[in-house]
């Protein structure tokens, strides 16, 4: 899912000034956001106190939702620029369509990676015939200035590298971990991994000391560096770690997100990431006029209109409020 809030507010992200350059344990509580008539997500980034983790700038956790008698996910066509979207499922399926002509069903622990570059539009929906439960995460990665005007593209990777140790199975989503590299295209030094822990697991995961990290809990009971992290919450860990202790009280699912702290200052408004007020204004005009972002063919419904811009100028600032 993307940002469907009709009262969108700008998020001012980026810059190294507020990166915690040492290990910390900062528990982030989600903001509950209604999407449509019945769907609700738990938004972890951007957060009141923490805006980015490496290049990761948007994290929604949703489900498990029982959609046996429901249409499930129904996200009409909407635009993106300046970012990558990462679709990650633990249960269910999502049908992706975009303005480059991509049509792909994404299934659990398969990577759906869309690089918006200068402009793209897409839709996301549960297939007409779908599994009973829907459970996953939607994440964005900010593109650095040198790549944010690249051609839009979509990648689907069903076969991802797996790193194993007693009690843990790590599926590499994006970037690098413990010598393994994801086939997904990355534009900054980054790590995204899905961690499946078995009950009683007590392991230490190797990390890059120059990266900042956070761990999102998807399911189960787990302690991250001694801190209990409940499903739908995220623990920010700062930098300076060479390993991360993990302990599971039950079978548990976590997502490890990390990367080199993102230096550039950004403006994130609705589903766009830019560097100036003028870029955001132009993106909104282009979307509402039906130019630049292309057309999503095959979706049964109208595209989403963009929210109104705020009355105050948008200026890029730091990583926290």
């Amino acid at each position: 899912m993307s940002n469907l809030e009709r009262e969108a507010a700008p998020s001012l992200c980026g810059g190294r000034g507020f990166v915690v350059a040492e290990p910390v344990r900062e528990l982030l509580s989600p903001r509950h956001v209604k999407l449509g008539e019945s769907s609700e997500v738990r938004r972890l980034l951007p957060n009141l106190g923490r805006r980015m983790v490496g290049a990761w700038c948007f994290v929604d956790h949703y489900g498990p939702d029982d959609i046996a008698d429901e249409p499930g996910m129904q996200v009409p066509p909407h635009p993106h620029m300046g970012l990558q979207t990462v679709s990650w499922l633990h249960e269910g399926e999502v049908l992706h369509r975009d303005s480059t002509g991509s049509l792909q069903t994404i299934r659990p622990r398969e990577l759906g990676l869309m690089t918006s570059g200068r402009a793209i539009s897409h839709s996301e929906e549960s297939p007409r015939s779908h599994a009973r439960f829907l459970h996953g995460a939607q994440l964005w990665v900010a593109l650095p200035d040198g790549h944010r005007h690249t051609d839009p593209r979509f990648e689907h990777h069903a076969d991802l590298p797996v790193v194993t140790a007693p009690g843990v199975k790590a599926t590499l989503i994006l970037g690098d971990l413990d010598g393994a590299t994801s086939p997904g295209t990355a534009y900054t030094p980054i790590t995204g991994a899905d961690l499946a822990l078995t009950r009683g697991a007590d392991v230490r995961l190797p990390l890059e000391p120059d990266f900042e990290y956070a761990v999102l809990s998807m399911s189960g009971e787990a302690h991250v560096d001694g801190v209990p992290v409940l499903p739908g919450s995220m623990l920010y860990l700062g930098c300076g770690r060479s390993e991360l202790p993990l302990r599971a009280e039950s079978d548990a699912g976590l997502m490890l997100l990390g990367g080199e702290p993102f230096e550039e200052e950004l403006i994130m408004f609705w589903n766009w990431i830019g560097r100036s007020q003028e870029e955001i204004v132009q993106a909104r005009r282009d979307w509402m006029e039906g130019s630049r972002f292309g057309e999503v063919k095959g979706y049964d419904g109208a595209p989403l209109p963009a929210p109104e811009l705020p009355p105050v100028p948008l200026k890029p600032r730091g990583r926290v409020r």
Side-chain angles (χ1 to χ4, degrees):
M1 273 164 273
S2 294
N3 187 3
L4 306 189
E5 291 184 277
R6 304 307 307 143
E7 301 296 329
S11 295
L12 309 170
C13 308
R16 298 179 65 102
F18 293 95
V19 175
V20 180
E22 59 187 15
V24 296
R25 301 174 185 86
E26 181 183 315
L27 191 62
L28 305 180
S29 298
R31 180 166 63 93
H32 294 265
V33 178
K34 295 288 289 186
L35 297 181
E37 295 296 323
S38 58
S39 298
E40 183 178 88
V41 301
R42 292 165 287 280
R43 184 153 298 160
L44 283 310
L45 287 181
N47 193 286
L48 181 61
R50 181 63 48 193
R51 291 301 183 181
M52 298 182 75
V53 178
W56 300 98
C57 60
F58 182 95
V59 176
D60 274 356
H61 173 245
Y62 56 90
D65 294 325
D66 188 340
I67 59 170
D69 300 317
E70 305 289 340
M73 183 183 294
Q74 297 294 322
V75 181
H78 57 281
H80 286 288
M81 74 172 189
L83 57 92
Q84 294 176 290
T85 66
V86 175
S87 298
W88 190 253
L89 291 168
H90 276 196
E91 294 180 271
E93 308 88 21
V94 171
L95 179 62
H96 167 96
R97 305 175 192 264
D98 67 44
S99 54
T100 71
S102 300
L103 176 64
Q104 179 67 54
T105 300
I106 303 167
R107 296 180 172 84
R109 292 177 173 82
E110 297 179 353
L111 173 60
L113 177 64
M114 186 180 76
T115 300
S116 69
R118 60 180 178 273
I120 200 170
S121 56
H122 74 139
S123 64
E124 301 152 290
E125 58 187 310
S126 296
R128 189 177 301 275
S129 177
H130 54 255
R132 177 176 179 178
F133 292 102
L134 181 64
H135 181 205
Q138 180 73 30
L139 313 98
W140 297 356
V141 179
L143 289 172
D145 189 61
H147 296 284
R148 66 192 183 97
H149 300 295
T150 190
D151 292 339
R153 59 182 296 196
F154 177 77
E155 303 171 44
H156 174 247
H157 300 285
D159 187 15
L160 295 168
V162 174
V163 176
T164 60
V168 63
K169 175 182 177 182
T171 302
L172 188 55
I173 301 169
L174 201 61
D176 301 281
L177 178 68
D178 197 24
T181 300
S182 167
T185 303
Y187 295 91
T188 58
I190 198 169
T191 294
D194 181 272
L195 310 178
L197 279 70
T198 59
R199 181 179 180 179
D202 192 350
V203 298
R204 291 179 176 268
L205 200 67
L207 301 182
E208 293 290 336
D210 291 339
F211 282 16
E212 61 175 342
Y213 289 95
V215 171
L216 168 67
S217 175
M218 298 286 286
S219 60
E221 300 179 41
H223 286 70
V224 179
D225 197 14
V227 178
V229 184
L230 299 177
S233 61
M234 187 163 72
L235 185 68
Y236 176 71
L237 296 162
C239 297
R241 295 173 181 270
S242 59
E243 61 181 15
L244 181 63
L246 302 171
R247 180 166 54 86
E249 304 299 323
S250 68
D251 289 352
L254 306 172
M255 291 187 73
L256 175 71
L257 306 175
E260 187 175 277
F262 199 82
E263 294 186 351
E264 301 170 37
E265 295 184 342
L266 314 172
I267 297 174
M268 187 164 71
F269 178 77
W270 199 40
N271 293 295
W272 300 304
I273 290 181
R275 302 301 192 275
S276 68
Q277 163 97 2
E278 292 73 23
E279 288 182 5
I280 301 298
V281 170
Q282 187 63 53
R284 186 183 187 281
R285 181 182 299 120
D286 291 344
W287 175 246
M288 295 302 287
E289 293 177 353
S291 64
R292 179 179 165 196
F293 290 95
E295 179 185 359
V296 179
K297 296 182 179 179
Y299 183 85
D300 185 15
L304 287 172
E308 295 294 330
L309 290 164
V312 296
L314 303 176
K315 296 181 180 181
R317 296 194 181 92
R319 302 166 61 86
V320 300
R321 285 187 190 271

